[in-house]
Amino acid sequence: KQEVTQIPAALSVPEGENLVLNCSFTDSAIYNLQWFRQDPGKGLTSLLLIQSSQREQTSGRLNASLDKSSGRSTLYIAASQPGDSATYLCAVTGGATNKLIFGTGTLLAVQP
Amino acid sequence: GAVVSQHPSWVICKSGTSVKIECRSLDFQATTMFWYRQFPKQSLMLMATSNEGSKATYEQGVEKDKFLINHASLTLSTLTVTSAHPEDSSFYICSADKPADTQYFGPGTRLTVL
């Protein structure tokens, strides 16, 4: 059974810092991995999608990497801003279905 | 991108009543939709996969007679929480699978059972 873990569970940084969020998964036979952002009481916003054949994806200040063999992904946020404060979730898709298995989440607070 | 809506955005009901939540894909057709539940400060847990024109597939531990799913058209799936109890209070989120793309998520429905 696929299990997805995120470290740290919570992170507080001053504005302007670069930071890394970690995601690990137990079954490397994934189809893709996604990073999402969730604001309090809201739905999910997809940030980056990495196919299993890819090593990384970039969007603006965000860069996500994938090391499928070791079961790890990182989300790098450059020059963090208070508006980046949210919960960040990673999720993997694997097997014959399109089910998403979500990680435990990292609650990020960027202090002005 | 694509847009998925949910209605209502929040609902408060008395214990023992049933509540219906709608999930709509507004600008694409979705053969498959998913329903998730999220308890406070926890991650999303998949409840069931909703397939248009056929029965939903429920995850282990989810009572199919309590959480009724109907995917009657390619743009609408409904989740009915029957005989709701306080422990059913949660944030319910749906997603719609856009073909050759990815899942797009609705904004969620906050259910509070008194």
Side-chain angles (χ1 to χ4, degrees):
Chain A
K1 179 184 174 183
Q2 178 74 273
E3 293 185 2
V4 184
T5 306
Q6 291 183 244
I7 294 173
L11 181 63
S12 180
V13 300
E15 181 177 6
E17 273 203 7
N18 303 323
L19 56 99
V20 175
L21 308 182
N22 297 289
C23 172
S24 61
F25 45 95
T26 55
D27 186 349
S28 62
I30 64 170
Y31 183 65
N32 60 43
L33 182 144
Q34 290 190 72
W35 283 93
F36 294 89
R37 170 188 172 132
Q38 185 178 30
D39 292 290
K42 305 290 185 181
L44 303 181
T45 300
S46 180
L47 299 173
L48 290 165
L49 168 67
I50 310 177
Q51 300 291 350
S52 62
S53 58
Q54 298 175 321
R55 298 283 295 184
E56 66 177 339
Q57 283 286 340
T58 299
S59 175
R61 293 183 294 109
L62 306 179
N63 176 277
S65 67
L66 173 63
D67 184 343
K68 201 173 76 163
S69 61
S70 68
R72 294 182 180 181
S73 175
T74 61
L75 177 66
Y76 176 82
I77 302 177
S80 58
Q81 302 171 357
D84 295 331
S85 299
T87 296
Y88 290 80
L89 296 163
C90 70
V92 298
T93 305
T97 69
N98 202 18
K99 294 182 187 180
L100 280 169
I101 307 298
F102 281 87
T104 46
T106 294
L107 176 61
L108 173 65
V110 181
Q111 308 300 330
Chain B
V3 181
V4 176
S5 69
Q6 279 185 244
H7 177 81
S9 57
W10 60 270
V11 57
I12 302 173
C13 69
K14 293 182 179 180
S15 184
T17 60
S18 294
V19 175
K20 180 185 285 188
I21 303 170
E22 293 185 348
C23 177
R24 293 182 185 272
S25 55
L26 299 185
D27 52 1
F28 66 97
Q29 294 184 332
T31 305
T32 303
M33 292 183 174
F34 300 89
W35 286 96
Y36 299 84
R37 180 168 53 185
Q38 185 179 33
F39 291 108
K41 298 186 178 181
Q42 294 188 24
S43 192
L44 277 74
M45 297 297 294
L46 179 65
M47 298 176 64
T49 303
S50 171
N51 302 295
E52 188 269 337
S54 64
K55 292 182 179 181
T57 304
Y58 291 81
E59 295 300 301
Q60 190 173 11
V62 178
E63 300 175 56
K64 59 183 178 182
D65 293 331
K66 180 169 184 63
F67 298 99
L68 301 179
I69 292 173
N70 187 345
H71 195 155
S73 77
L74 288 171
T75 58
L76 173 64
S77 175
T78 60
L79 169 68
T80 301
V81 183
T82 62
S83 187
H85 288 94
E87 58 266 30
D88 298 323
S89 298
S90 187
F91 193 54
Y92 291 86
I93 303 178
C94 73
S95 70
D97 191 25
K98 185 176 182 181
D101 197 339
T102 185
Q103 291 182 39
Y104 289 88
F105 285 79
T109 297
R110 172 74 60 193
L111 170 64
T112 302
V113 184
L114 303 177

